[in-house]
Amino acid sequence: MDVKTAARVFEVINLFAEVRQPMTYSEIARRTEIPLSSCHALLQTMVAKGFLYAPGVKAGYYPTQRLLHVARDICSQDPLALVFQPLLAGLRDATGETAALATLAGNRVVYLEVVESRQKIRYSDEPGGFMYVHVSAAGKALLGALSVKARRRLLDSCEPLPLSTDGSATERNALEQEIEQGLEDGWHRSTGENVEDVAAVARGFLINGEPFALVIAGPKARLLKHEHSTVEALLETYKQIPASLLG
């Protein structure tokens, strides 16, 4: 369950990231559907903490540089990023496709790190992006990393399973069989279920009991053409994860 005030802070920050211009508190309230009085109080608190400022009497509010500096300081010492950024860069270079590290956020997949392909036509995403577990290679790999009991409990929380990109429904039993087959193979695949014309392969694993997945994604035709070598690079990168982290 969301904590309302905390959720509203992130809604305001995300709104500025989308609009990228100063906004009055009434406009912010309208776009976020926060009551006017609550929105005004929230914005004043963010001003008092140094995260917003008023660029002019009637110009409204805009984030200060403090948000950038705080985020940069935090991210610079992310223990997993320090390990996985070079691994993902190497995986991107070995395959030519976008590489990512994913984990679970409730019953959805979220990317923690993304190293995009250098090719002009590529799969593009960013950290913090969400997707459904049942239509993505990352989600299947993460589900596979869980115990059977935990996996079924998570899938129960997703039902009814949302439709795939093409509007087709996912059969629960078929999904669980696909996850089991992926565990036997050592990797999981998706072919356009989440994003049309995008395919991905992923390898799931546990860190301190929590599920994570290495992911490679790209244009479906190109990735499937080179799937064998892509999977080889994926599994080789997995072997490079420090043993002290796994488990």
Side-chain angles (χ1 to χ4, degrees):
M1 178 181 292
D2 288 340
V3 177
K4 185 180 293 185
T5 302
R8 286 174 172 174
V9 171
F10 293 116
E11 287 173 7
V12 171
I13 291 172
N14 286 330
L15 178 60
F16 277 115
E18 177 186 340
V19 176
R20 302 181 188 181
Q21 64 182 26
M23 290 178 286
T24 64
Y25 86 88
S26 59
E27 183 179 5
I28 295 169
R30 177 179 59 80
R31 287 173 174 263
T32 59
E33 299 183 348
I34 300 173
L36 277 171
S37 59
S38 299
C39 185
H40 188 261
L42 176 63
L43 297 177
Q44 288 300 307
T45 299
M46 294 177 75
V47 168
K49 296 296 183 181
F51 289 96
L52 294 182
Y53 78 107
V57 176
K58 296 183 179 180
Y61 299 89
Y62 201 74
T64 69
Q65 292 288 312
R66 184 176 185 186
L67 186 62
L68 172 64
H69 292 301
V70 169
R72 182 183 294 152
D73 288 344
I74 293 171
C75 292
S76 68
Q77 297 304 312
D78 181 338
L80 286 187
L82 294 174
V83 172
F84 282 97
Q85 281 176 347
L87 293 180
L88 293 174
L91 184 55
R92 182 270 315 275
D93 293 342
T95 63
E97 304 294 355
T98 297
L101 176 69
T103 189
L104 289 172
N107 58 13
R108 294 187 295 172
V109 177
V110 62
Y111 282 143
L112 300 177
E113 293 286 337
V114 179
V115 178
E116 288 197 6
S117 167
R118 293 192 175 98
Q119 303 198 60
K120 289 184 178 180
I121 299 176
R122 63 184 181 269
Y123 173 67
S124 181
D125 213 318
E126 59 186 22
F130 292 102
M131 65 187 75
Y132 294 124
V133 294
H134 67 292
V135 292
S136 61
K140 296 169 190 176
L142 291 166
L143 287 167
L146 296 173
S147 68
V148 174
K149 182 178 180 180
R151 182 193 313 160
R152 290 176 177 169
R153 184 167 58 246
L154 189 148
L155 286 173
D156 288 343
S157 73
C158 298
E159 290 193 319
L161 296 174
L163 299 178
S164 299
T165 301
D166 62 3
S168 62
T170 300
E171 166 58 41
R172 170 76 175 263
N173 289 337
L175 173 62
E176 295 198 55
Q177 290 174 11
E178 185 178 356
I179 293 169
E180 290 294 338
Q181 183 61 55
L183 288 174
E184 290 186 25
D185 296 336
W187 57 280
H188 292 81
R189 173 202 290 126
S190 64
T191 53
E193 302 103 307
N194 180 60
V195 179
E196 189 175 4
D197 294 328
V198 169
V201 294
R203 176 57 158 92
F205 50 92
L206 295 176
I207 295 179
N208 298 321
E210 295 296 325
F212 292 84
L214 288 171
V215 189
I216 308 172
K220 184 163 62 175
R222 191 171 71 207
L223 190 139
L224 294 181
K225 179 180 179 180
H226 302 289
E227 185 177 71
H228 180 73
S229 60
T230 300
V231 170
E232 284 188 338
L234 174 71
L235 298 181
E236 182 58 36
T237 301
Y238 168 71
K239 292 177 183 177
Q240 297 174 35
I241 299 173
S244 59
L245 282 181
L246 299 175

